[in-house]
Amino acid sequence: MILKDRIAIVTGAGRGIGREHALELARQGAKVVVNDFGVSLAGEKQDSPADEVVAEIVAMGGEAVANGADVADFEQAAAMVQQAIDTFGGLDILVNNAGFVRDRMLVNTSEEEWDAVIRVHLKGHFAPLRHAGAYWRAEAKEGRQRAARVINTSSGAGLQGSIGQATYSAAKAGIAGLTLVAAAELGRYGATVNAIAPVARTRMTVDAFPDMMAGAGGDGDAFDAMDPANNSPIVAWLASADAADVTGRVIEIEGGRVCLEEGWRHGPHEDAGQRWAAGDVGSAIRALVGRAAEPERVYGT
């Protein structure tokens, strides 16, 4: 019960990884706002399963309420944060998980597909985070600083890139960058901000990576490395008061393996001491490439 009486919002919590997050946070004692807008993988509106997740939480003796907000709608995101405050008396934890995919090779991607994926993933992280952050700032100014926690959802696609997922990769890379800035800005209000890069068998991944997803798990008591529930204990700990010393980090989770990602860092450099002449740049850059670590390969190459 590491989250006893803490109040959480989990977005995209009707299915898959988000559902498992909501259930695990409830098992650990949190009161949960279960958000799910109810869309297909292509982003088409359908019935939300949020009420079913709420019923599961209540059946296990927990407290939860459903929310159907479009998290990328600025006003609906504000109302979702307010629902947590009005229903449970505050907000301590925000787990940004909602998203969908429209995978295409870059030259086949339409403007509508680009806008939709960037909106749901990147703006859908920004809007709830912005309103939750404003609440925590107000609480801190009133002398009621909370042990606030944000867990965003990036992806290996955003960290290393993925063939056929240019839009998704760009959105998830943006989430990693947003995490760094939010951690630096919100720390003064008692908030930590981290991100996970989960690996799991969900409706988003089973079609994109059928071979990898089909090979997961086994019979009987064999450990299923692709079970989406594998990600949720890490999220629960990051959401706890105990995690106050960990912020601005991206953690990849694959089965029982957790990996602390090391993102963009200053590497080898060459200072000309003056403006570079264009003809001198090539040899200098090639020398730096020779001294630098090899980048990880893009998924699918």
Side-chain angles (χ1 to χ4, degrees), residues 92-284:
D92 304 298
I93 302 158
L94 171 63
V95 181
N96 280 318
N97 169 78
F100 66 85
V101 292
R102 292 187 181 180
D103 292 344
R104 292 275 193 278
M105 298 300 280
L106 178 61
V107 297
N108 292 327
T109 301
S110 70
E111 181 180 17
E112 183 276 333
E113 288 166 336
W114 173 273
D115 288 346
V117 172
I118 296 295
R119 177 185 181 275
V120 172
H121 285 278
L122 193 50
K123 188 178 179 183
H125 272 59
F126 158 72
L129 178 53
R130 189 274 187 203
H131 293 298
Y135 167 70
W136 292 325
R137 178 183 61 183
E139 287 289 280
K141 287 183 176 180
E142 293 297 322
R144 299 187 298 266
Q145 184 166 295
R146 306 182 81 96
R149 304 286 180 263
V150 179
I151 300 93
N152 292 327
T153 307
S154 185
S155 168
L159 304 171
Q160 281 86 39
S162 179
I163 295 294
Q165 292 190 305
T167 309
Y168 178 76
S169 295
K172 290 303 192 182
I175 288 167
L178 175 64
T179 297
L180 300 181
V181 175
E185 292 186 355
L186 298 183
R188 71 195 72 178
Y189 310 126
T192 67
V193 185
N194 294 287
I196 63 166
V199 177
R201 181 178 52 253
T202 71
R203 62 177 187 156
M204 283 178 57
T205 59
V206 72
D207 291 331
F209 305 104
D211 293 340
M212 185 175 82
M213 296 302 131
D219 298 327
D221 296 328
F223 175 54
D224 183 355
M226 293 296 115
D227 187 339
N230 296 334
N231 299 278
S232 301
I234 289 84
V235 170
W237 182 80
L238 290 171
S240 72
D242 185 47
D245 58 333
V246 178
T247 193
R249 300 291 189 168
V250 179
I251 301 169
E252 186 175 46
I253 310 163
E254 183 175 359
R257 175 180 179 270
V258 292
C259 174
L260 193 66
E261 295 290 317
E262 296 182 340
W264 292 108
R265 305 176 65 90
H266 292 297
H269 68 275
E270 184 70 33
D271 187 352
Q274 60 186 7
R275 181 182 303 141
W276 284 87
D280 296 334
V281 172
S283 60

